[in-house]
Amino acid sequence: MSDSKSKSKTIVVFGATGNVGSALINALVKNNTATSTVFSIVAFVRDPNAGSAKRLSALPGVRIVHVQTYMDEPARAFEVAGLGEGDVYGVFSNQGYVDPKVEEAQGKAIVDAAAALGCSHFVYNSVDMGRSSPPGPAFTSKYNVEEHRKSISTSGSGAGLGWTIIRPSQFMDNLLPSSAFMFKLTRTMLLRRTFYTHPERKHQMVSTRDIGRVSARAFEKPEEFKSRTICLSGDEFTMPELEAIYKEEMGEPIKETFATLVSIVKLLVPFLRQMAEAQDQEGFSADIPSLRKEFPELEDLRAFLRRYRAERGL
């Protein structure tokens, strides 16, 4: 067995093909070449034939595991991957957009499955809770998963499971013209249907690449990140400032959809309504100057948009 192989540590990624999961995997792969510890990455995917899954499978040290219901049955997913007690160093949990009750059940089940395997470090991608925890029902499911992770830290199965909670603000990626239609809805809601009572409030945002890079650091330096909750953001601005920066860098306004449609969606979808109200009334709470001292590579919005244009030759 080679020396690098003997030092390898397995990290399992739930939500691997999403922007955040992919960013984490790319950061770990990049850092594998620069650190003495090599991570073997197991990425759970629903569709191994999807372009996002194929891109991950082409990366060195990444193994794609097809588990159709891995979020609902995480213990079974570990079995399908051939991972048993003592095989898993780290678990990263990032859940998609599902019903809050489903999200809470999935999140807690992933924590329990990781603890049962004797995982050393668990990183949970949550959401910035603002100035109170949680500020509204839209945040409750993630908050309850956070508390579940903390509550088992003294139990028999979870005593050795170190943890880091990343609480990002809204994603800069959602502003991009290449993002899905649902994000055209959410950014229109942000710009036109959110800051009614506090138009002066500065809204915080972060790039998913930075979420991945900070999460990777938590696995690489677990003692520095153990038992930490990190509110993560790279920039802040009012809505007029956001629109001005975007137009200066992209040469066009942020692409929106019909405001009337957004008003209807906001009325009918409690989660989106609650998120908008929380952002208006409380806002996100990251201490960006302090974050930049620890993570000087954090992108502000201009840097993020310039990278996007450069990567696409625009």
Side-chain angles (χ1 to χ4, degrees), residues 243-254 305 309:
E243 292 186 273
I245 293 170
Y246 187 95
K247 188 171 184 179
E248 288 171 11
E249 296 298 332
M250 298 293 284
E252 61 182 10
I254 297 173
L305 293 173
R309 291 180 61 206

Side-chain angles (χ1 to χ4, degrees), residues 214-231:
V214 172
S215 299
R217 286 270 298 276
F219 288 120
E220 293 157 8
K221 300 181 178 181
E223 290 307 313
E224 293 183 18
F225 287 81
K226 186 177 181 180
S227 303
R228 288 183 62 184
T229 298
I230 302 171
C231 292

Side-chain angles (χ1 to χ4, degrees), residues 145-271:
V145 175
E146 290 183 11
E147 292 300 297
H148 181 68
R149 167 69 284 276
K150 296 173 185 178
S151 70
I152 69 169
S153 62
T154 57
S155 68
S157 63
L161 181 56
W163 56 269
T164 304
I165 294 170
I166 308 296
R167 286 181 167 182
S169 58
Q170 192 168 15
F171 300 166
M172 294 177 182
D173 307 60
N174 296 353
L175 298 172
L176 298 175
S178 57
S179 61
F181 177 77
M182 68 173 291
F183 298 117
K184 186 179 287 188
L185 281 170
T186 58
R187 60 182 177 250
T188 305
M189 185 177 299
L190 173 69
L191 292 168
R192 311 299 170 210
R193 294 292 184 268
T194 294
F195 294 98
Y196 284 125
T197 58
H198 294 284
E200 80 290 350
R201 185 179 301 286
K202 287 187 178 290
H203 183 63
Q204 296 184 341
M205 302 191 84
V206 64
S207 74
T208 55
R209 188 176 77 165
D210 283 340
I211 302 171
R213 292 196 288 190
V214 172
S215 299
R217 286 270 298 276
F219 288 120
E220 293 157 8
K221 300 181 178 181
E223 290 307 313
E224 293 183 18
F225 287 81
K226 186 177 181 180
S227 303
R228 288 183 62 184
T229 298
I230 302 171
C231 292
L232 188 62
S233 187
D235 207 348
E236 60 182 1
F237 25 68
T238 63
M239 292 303 98
E241 290 170 343
L242 167 58
E243 292 186 273
I245 293 170
Y246 187 95
K247 188 171 184 179
E248 288 171 11
E249 296 298 332
M250 298 293 284
E252 61 182 10
I254 297 173
K255 294 187 182 300
E256 301 178 48
T257 188
F258 300 107
T260 302
L261 173 61
V262 172
S263 296
I264 294 171
V265 171
K266 183 179 178 182
L267 179 65
L268 298 178
V269 182
F271 173 80

Side-chain angles (χ1 to χ4, degrees), residues 70-140:
Y70 67 86
M71 284 293 195
D72 297 320
E73 300 179 281
R76 174 59 180 157
F78 284 119
E79 291 179 8
V80 171
L83 298 170
E85 187 174 355
D87 292 336
V88 178
Y89 161 72
V91 170
F92 179 77
S93 178
N94 180 65
Q95 297 169 263
Y97 297 93
V98 293
D99 178 83
K101 291 183 179 179
V102 174
E103 179 182 26
E104 181 175 338
Q106 290 176 344
K108 290 179 177 179
I110 293 171
V111 170
D112 292 341
L117 290 183
C119 170
S120 295
H121 202 77
F122 188 96
V123 178
Y124 178 54
N125 187 52
S126 183
V127 64
D128 191 330
M129 302 283 178
R131 293 163 183 78
S132 58
S133 297
F139 299 79
T140 301

